Amino acid sequence: MSWVGKSLRRKEDDRLIRGKGLFTDDEPADLHLYILRSPYAHARIRGIDTSAAEALPGVACVLTGQDVLEHCDPFMELAPGEAAEIKDYPLARDKVVYQGEPVAAVAAETAALAMDAGQLIDVDYEMLEPVLDAAEALKDEVLVHDNIGTNRTWQGVFEYGDVDQAFAEAAHVVRIGPMHFHRYSSTPLENNACIAEWTRQGTVEFLCNNSFPGFAQQLLAPGLRLPVEKVHIRAYDVGGSFGNKIWNYVYMALAALASKKAGGLRVKWSETRSEHLLASGHGNERSYYDTEVALDKDGVITAIKSRHIDDCGAYTRYEPLGCVIWSQVLPATYKLRNIRIDFSQALTNKCPVVPNRGYSRMQQLWFMERVVDICAHELGIPADEMRLRNYIRDFPYETPNGCVYDSGDYPAMLAKAKELIDWDKWVAYRDQARAEGRYVGIGIGTTLDSGTNNFGQAQIMNPQLPFSGNSEACIIRLDFDGNVVVTLGTGPSGQGHETAASQVVADELNIDPAMVQVRTGFDTAWNTYVGHSGTYASQFAVTGLSAVHGACQKLKAEMRKLAAFVLEAAEEDLEFGVGEQGPEVRVKGTDQFMNYWALANLVNNNNAVLDESLADVTLNVRHVYRPPFKVPDVERKFGNLTLTYASQLHIAVVEIDPDTCHAKILAYAAVDDCGTVINPQIAHGQVHGATAHGIGAAIMESFDYDEGGNLLTSTFSDYCPITSMNIPDVVYGNIQNPSPFSYSGAKGMGEGGGAPLHTMSAAVQDALHGAGIIITDSFVSPPALHRMLQAPNREQAVSVD
Amino acid sequence: MSTTELAAHEVPKVAIELSVNGKRYRREVEPRELLVQFLREELRLTGTHIGCDTTYCGACTVLLNGEPVKSCTVLAVQADGGEVLTVEGLEQDGQLHPLQAAFSEHHGLQCGYCTPGMLMSAYALLERNPKPSRKEIRKGIQGNVCRCTGYHNIFEAIEAAAAAMRKE
């Protein structure tokens, strides 16, 4: 009987379907924070007059850049070189560098009053020319941060194999013009929020929805000039994150400062949706230049060289980590060995970027999928055949940069997706439609979701950074009453960690998952966490559950030792199970047993009866799981950067209406392989969710700026998150190639590789290639397709020698 | 702001009386207070969520006199004399509403933030159409954004709940 592998109904649901969750904004506070934001993308602050706001009855305090200078230190920067000198504070000081940047903050008795007061603050701005394009920014004509003298945050060349030789021997060379991966984000439905209290004891107590609290604590403490021990973070229910809530420590610090200035009252900040879209964090925007692809006579890609520029917006924050993280999937699913990519990142006067579902890897995967499809179309090779000629086949596979793809079977996924979608039918349909002059296309996207980061890759970006490896913690104890209580280091945001952890514990103790209590959320006071703790980067199934599994082994060892002593039996004669009194440890083949209460009571209340050899038995064990990583070779940019590689294969059939230019999805199939599946229903749900994000991003969701740096899509009415009316029927399939590197064979899988973006670009190009169109932008909205149909780009976008 | 003009926070409060989940309340509210704020902050019924500020996302959907409304776009004073049903009112005598049970059974929620609004829109849909087609379900919840599930399992859950309710 195994609980792992079953679609166990989620434990989390009981409170959430009743409206009894505890989201941050649900908790009352004494004061509410309103943030006054810059209306300009780039402007000097000549002065701020807060007197009218401060005079309003009910206003507790007003904060400006002067306060943060007095009470804060700038947040730690990860970048090497000049960018390390960027001064990132919770409020702007002398200059604003993106539209929406916080300029002042008001804490007042109600949210409405705080907003009233905020509107009485008078800021004198001198507008400056913004720089909005990353390639332009690299010219350093307009500087985002004057003190660092450049907009370049990072530059490096990733070169492997013998690229020049491969080009010299190529049968075909395909040259591709500039391409662009657009700015969007997965925008969780719950906005950022926190409640901060600067207590009389000098601690700061946060209730928040940060999704990487282990990291946030390490940033907040020095920023607030406090020891880590005085920064307490709790998070309960979190309404989605998708990476976006990693960075909200900036606002947590602001709320803490407001509490300090207001004499220790509890200050709540609840972001509005418009603030979230304008100024919380966008996904990484990336451009690709000078792409050249070498192929042999059979269409097998032998080499790629190109130049990529990432746009990180106005502050670095988690960046420039994205300059290296993409290289986890350097060759995507393809076997080429010769690669040279010159990678740079630039600051611009736009919203800072933040990790977003598929972070940095999907930008590389989109690039590789575009290369494969463009080459296929130009050489006249069908897209499926092109992939079969180029797929990696043997696993574990070491990529040219030393990453190890653990397992997979891309041809089998392709076959499965074709079967699910009824490939032959749609090929015939497409060909018939084309004969009638209609724009029907079929696209394939094969992608990877690399999970469980080796933080050592940070050293490729900056050799001075003291980060490497990865870890996650779990505490299991038998409570006084014998209940099994599990504490996780991860604060989930919809992924069902309570349920999945219960399944693992139930299997290990041979009990029912209902008998396992998993503590909800994250709390620094629980002492479960490590620096890597959090919910991000597709890793819970490996790091989180390995920690749970390891803790179970420790607990069982103690329970055996204790039961063997009391029952006067040999440890090997004991077994775990459920008896008439509930969970127990018993002597096989006898009626001798100890239930969990009896075991716990011995240790906690009745320990004089115990032998000295049992002095170390506490039935309260902590286990930290550490994946077997080494520090990468920083010089060569070589090493294993992630432990597991889940794979996705999507196929879309689209028809483009020549009048509306809308790419209607006629059929869609999504196959995933995340190794051993812990809870099929949860994994299935993650695939549907990631698919919706990707389809939304491909056809509806984009952060568009005008020439002045004004965000044109700053409300849900303009940004248009995908709704029930736009999502196609997605046919789901699964194959399972267990990972040899995780104890269970499971792989992290929540991000989903951004598969629909690649798939939609491929399908639209297939539909429009005959019309002279090459898809060079990941955003294929109706206006974008309209522009393309007006001005076909194939002549400029691609050439073949 | 001129000195003769009354600031918003100085406007006298207005007395309202309404029923929420079958219980009667009498309160004084600011004229500008939204129904969602009233429910969350005055009555501490925090199951009704706020996800946007442009009446788009539907996380705040409740029933007002039997009709689904986005409570971020209704003033509390407009609900005066009305009957409000929120997610907290769906469970009856310890029994989950079939929609609540089906959302869990079919994994129609992940983070759970959109769920209360989604449940209330689905409730209103099934009140007027006990046997909706897939297309009618899509339309019925088009004003409710979910960022986690990709909607697929929500459709399944509403279909299953409709079937269960027809059997009752």
Side-chain angles (χ1 to χ4, degrees), chain A residues 468-492:
Chain A
S468 69
N470 198 332
S471 56
E472 191 53 270
C474 172
I475 292 174
I476 299 189
R477 72 163 195 264
L478 291 196
D479 226 327
F480 292 172
D481 53 9
N483 275 315
V484 182
V485 179
V486 180
T487 309
L488 302 175
T490 59

Side-chain angles (χ1 to χ4, degrees), chain A residues 52-321:
Chain A
E54 278 162 322
L56 202 64
V59 169
C61 64
V62 179
L63 300 168
T64 66
Q66 200 51 44
D67 294 282
V68 300
L69 276 175
E70 278 171 29
H71 298 280
C72 274
D73 286 320
F75 291 114
M76 174 177 70
E77 292 292 329
L78 301 175
E82 293 92 338
E85 296 305 315
I86 292 171
K87 304 298 179 210
D88 186 9
Y89 286 94
L91 289 173
R93 289 140 303 127
D94 49 353
K95 195 171 105 159
V96 288
V97 291
Y98 67 99
Q99 188 182 48
E101 179 167 10
V103 174
V106 183
E109 286 167 8
T110 68
L113 192 60
M115 188 186 279
D116 289 343
Q119 281 155 14
L120 298 175
I121 297 174
D122 189 19
V123 185
D124 182 13
Y125 292 103
E126 176 193 344
M127 277 178 73
L128 301 169
E129 194 63 34
V131 60
L132 301 163
D133 175 78
E136 265 316 297
L138 288 179
K139 295 177 186 166
D140 289 338
E141 287 165 5
V142 171
L143 291 177
V144 177
H145 297 285
D146 305 290
N147 67 311
I148 68 168
T150 178
N151 292 322
R152 187 187 303 273
T153 61
W154 199 81
Q155 189 272 332
V157 178
F158 294 75
E159 180 160 5
Y160 309 94
D162 192 337
V163 175
D164 294 334
Q165 172 98 13
F167 273 91
E169 290 170 359
H172 309 282
V173 173
V174 177
R175 293 184 174 80
I176 302 171
M179 297 199 290
H180 176 245
F181 189 93
H182 75 295
R183 224 169 221 265
Y184 76 94
S185 107
S186 298
T187 58
L189 196 61
E190 180 206 30
N191 292 301
N192 291 298
C194 69
I195 297 174
E197 180 184 7
W198 199 297
T199 68
R200 290 176 193 194
Q201 293 77 29
T203 64
V204 181
E205 308 290 331
F206 288 110
L207 175 67
C208 67
N209 54 16
N210 185 282
S211 57
F212 192 174
F215 184 63
Q217 194 188 30
Q218 296 181 65
L219 287 158
L220 279 165
L224 294 171
R225 299 177 184 158
L226 290 173
V228 165
E229 194 275 322
K230 290 196 184 294
V231 176
H232 299 164
I233 301 178
R234 291 182 300 140
Y236 290 106
D237 290 309
V238 176
S241 168
F242 317 116
N244 298 180
K245 287 175 178 160
I246 286 175
W247 75 281
N248 57 20
Y249 58 84
V250 182
Y251 289 135
M252 291 166 70
L254 189 56
L257 290 179
S259 174
K260 189 181 191 182
K261 196 167 178 180
L265 293 173
R266 282 159 57 86
V267 175
K268 183 198 280 192
W269 175 65
S270 282
E271 186 186 46
T272 66
R273 176 59 52 187
S274 300
E275 286 180 292
H276 183 89
L277 295 173
L278 180 67
S280 71
H282 295 171
N284 291 54
E285 180 178 358
R286 193 168 297 170
S287 299
Y288 316 85
Y289 299 94
D290 308 330
T291 303
E292 295 185 39
V293 189
L295 302 100
D296 73 8
K297 62 180 178 18
D298 299 318
V300 174
I301 296 171
T302 55
I304 290 180
K305 52 185 176 184
S306 58
R307 190 164 58 84
H308 299 182
I309 304 177
D310 199 67
D311 175 349
C312 75
Y315 287 97
T316 36
R317 296 191 178 151
Y318 209 69
E319 299 300 327
L321 278 179

Side-chain angles (χ1 to χ4, degrees), chain A residues 9-10 273 693 722 724 727, chain B residues 51 104 110 138 147 151:
Chain A
R9 196 180 77 83
R10 294 197 325 164
R273 176 59 52 187
H693 275 180
I722 192 164
S724 60
I727 187 79
Chain B
S104 178
Q110 288 180 26
R138 284 174 178 268
R147 293 301 276 174
Y151 302 100

Side-chain angles (χ1 to χ4, degrees), chain A residues 9-10 13 17-18 25-26 28 116 186-187 189 240 273-274 681 685 689 693 701 721-724 727 729, chain B residues 32 40 44 47 49 51-53 91 100 104-105 107 109-111 114 138 142 145 147-152:
Chain A
R9 196 180 77 83
R10 294 197 325 164
D13 294 353
I17 54 175
R18 290 177 165 89
D25 189 54
D26 296 345
D116 289 343
S186 298
T187 58
L189 196 61
R273 176 59 52 187
S274 300
Q681 199 175 42
H693 275 180
E701 303 180 26
I722 192 164
T723 72
S724 60
I727 187 79
D729 286 322
Chain B
R32 64 174 167 177
R40 289 177 55 79
R44 303 286 305 130
H49 297 148
C52 78
D53 47 2
E91 191 178 1
Q100 291 173 303
S104 178
E105 190 64 33
H107 192 32
L109 67 153
Q110 288 180 26
C111 79
C114 77
R138 284 174 178 268
Q142 66 175 321
V145 173
R147 293 301 276 174
C148 294
T149 64
Y151 302 100
H152 175 86

